[in-house]
Amino acid sequence: MSETIIQVRGLVKVYDELIAVNGISFDVKEGQVFAFLGPNGAGKTTTVEIIETIRTATSGQVNILGLDIKKNRTDILRRIGVLPQEFSSFDRLTVRETVQYYSRLFKGEPDIDELLELVNLTEHRDQLYMNLSGGLKQRVGIAVALVNDPEIVFLDEPTTGLDPRARRDVWDVIKGLKKSGKTIFLTTHYMEEAEVLADDVAIISKGDIIAHGTTSQLIDQYCSTIHVSIRGAGPGVEEVAKNLGLTLENRENGTVTIEASNNDQVVEILNNLKARDIKYDGLDIRKANLEEVFLSLTGESLTTGGEE
Ligand SMILES: Nc1ncnc2c1ncn2[C@@H]1O[C@H](COP(=O)(O)OP(=O)(O)OP(=O)(O)O)[C@@H](O)[C@H]1O
Ligand SMILES: [Mg+2]
């Protein structure tokens, strides 16, 4: 078992009347990717910036790298890296100059070219920041977060607003950071990002952690439905579902989906299709995802406001 590197206990943050963080407790393990997953306004940035010693808590304890955030601010800042939610930099500096500029703010001089390689920016090193795509700008931000060779890297919604390709490129960079031994604290409202990257996921909603575990644990605990989708099925599929006492989710575009609650039921569905000689064009067996976990816990969707 890896060591606890961040320990949060009873953390509260109140802004005027609003309780933004409502007494949360959790641990982050060294070397893991920890995802803080939640919709807009859930309290992710507030929490993460308290841990980074940028904001102050109303009450509660945070220990990071064995240090108390109230007493060891300078030491902590030296050993962590931060990509803030709204990262932006100097328009008229090149990629290389940007990373060099931030490196000079720290005493240790990193190998800039090695750093650019780590975030896959070598071929863009001489481009001006203002001319970069959103995904490249975020990768510059990640490079900046690494100039002090931090033990923990905080990435606050690193892929929000990026297209799927650019998002995957950032994911590759994050996977590389994990391989190099860094602990990653990732906040996101993309369930797929948490599923792909995280060893451990805490779901936050309205200032509370409503579930915490690995993706599989969360799915097994809160949403164990298995969706069996049968494409282009002949008549009689409805009968199969009815006989087994299972819900027929829908029949759309020629696809019927039956909800099974365990593997044995999936096998029963398949056996019944065969026994009745029901022909079909394709079969897709899918477990629930974190989006459905969130929906089943809160009755709301993770991605609100149509932002994709
Ligand atoms: N400085 C502040 N003063 C007053 N209210 C604030 C402040 N910062 C955040 N809030 C409020 O606290 C709540 C939590 O905000 P926070 O930014 O932590 O959420 P978030 O999960 O990071 O959301 P997003 O996905 O939009 O980044 C929101 O209702 C927000 O409006
Ligand atoms: Mg935020």
Side-chain angles (χ1 to χ4, degrees):
M1 273 309 277
S2 44
E3 297 290 312
T4 296
I5 197 164
I6 301 173
Q7 189 182 61
V8 176
R9 291 292 177 270
L11 188 68
V12 174
K13 179 68 179 182
V14 181
Y15 298 112
D16 300 321
E17 305 284 271
L18 177 81
I19 301 170
V21 177
N22 190 20
I24 60 174
S25 301
F26 61 95
D27 288 353
V28 176
K29 301 279 183 206
E30 187 172 5
Q32 291 201 336
V33 177
F34 174 83
F36 215 37
L37 177 69
N40 291 130
K44 302 183 295 296
T45 299
T46 298
T47 304
V48 84
E49 292 193 347
I50 291 170
I51 301 171
E52 293 161 359
T53 77
I54 293 167
R55 300 193 200 198
T56 49
T58 304
S59 62
Q61 274 92 44
V62 179
N63 193 283
I64 170 168
L65 292 155
L67 303 166
D68 185 333
I69 52 162
K70 289 186 198 125
K71 296 179 198 143
N72 304 282
R73 187 155 191 258
T74 317
D75 286 342
I76 292 169
L77 286 173
R78 238 183 246 133
R79 294 171 61 186
I80 65 171
V82 172
L83 172 71
Q85 183 160 2
E86 308 284 342
F87 173 79
S88 76
S89 187
F90 304 98
D91 275 347
R92 289 174 195 283
L93 290 188
T94 65
V95 167
R96 195 173 193 288
E97 286 165 345
T98 305
V99 179
Q100 197 154 39
Y101 170 79
Y102 285 101
S103 307
R104 286 183 180 140
L105 300 178
F106 286 90
K107 289 205 183 89
E109 281 274 310
D111 182 330
I112 307 286
D113 294 314
E114 201 176 284
L115 210 51
L116 292 178
E117 193 58 41
L118 195 63
V119 295
N120 296 328
L121 281 175
T122 305
E123 61 174 301
H124 304 282
R125 49 186 274 169
D126 298 321
Q127 275 176 257
L128 290 181
Y129 181 79
M130 62 191 253
N131 293 334
L132 301 176
S133 66
L136 293 180
K137 283 181 173 166
Q138 284 301 79
R139 274 147 59 190
V140 172
I142 296 175
V144 166
L146 298 173
V147 294
N148 55 335
D149 192 23
E151 288 154 75
I152 309 175
V153 187
F154 292 89
L155 305 171
D156 195 354
E157 302 215 21
T159 69
T160 295
L162 301 186
D163 64 57
R165 177 66 215 266
R167 180 168 300 149
R168 283 192 168 76
D169 290 341
V170 171
W171 291 354
D172 285 342
V173 169
I174 297 172
K175 286 179 195 166
L177 293 182
K178 184 188 155 160
K179 255 198 202 129
S180 75
K182 302 202 182 294
T183 304
I184 315 286
F185 193 124
L186 171 76
T187 82
T188 183
H189 62 252
Y190 296 120
M191 61 87 189
E192 200 194 346
E193 186 157 296
E195 285 182 4
V196 168
L197 296 174
D199 302 295
D200 195 25
V201 182
I203 299 181
I204 180 166
S205 168
K206 299 189 175 91
D208 281 308
I209 290 179
I210 54 172
H212 185 175
T214 65
T215 294
S216 336
Q217 283 168 349
L218 293 173
I219 289 170
D220 289 348
Q221 187 170 354
Y222 298 105
C223 203
S224 57
T225 308
I226 303 167
H227 306 268
V228 180
S229 296
I230 305 149
R231 189 160 43 82
V237 198
E238 282 86 354
E239 274 299 304
V240 170
K242 204 173 151 197
N243 277 355
L244 295 171
L246 301 177
T247 313
L248 198 79
E249 209 177 69
N250 52 37
R251 192 188 246 289
E252 276 171 10
N253 306 323
T255 298
V256 178
T257 302
I258 302 175
E259 289 183 357
S261 34
N262 54 49
N263 291 333
D264 289 348
Q265 288 184 349
V266 174
V267 174
E268 274 191 87
I269 293 169
L270 301 184
N271 285 343
N272 268 267
L273 290 173
K274 198 166 161 66
R276 288 162 187 250
D277 202 22
I278 297 173
K279 301 274 183 283
Y280 49 86
D281 299 332
L283 196 63
D284 177 51
I285 300 172
R286 182 179 73 77
K287 286 191 96 175
N289 56 33
L290 288 178
E291 174 75 40
E292 287 159 289
V293 169
F294 189 82
L295 190 69
S296 90
L297 283 165
T298 65
E300 288 169 23
S301 167
L302 252 173
T303 39
T304 47
E307 185 193 347
E308 245 316 301

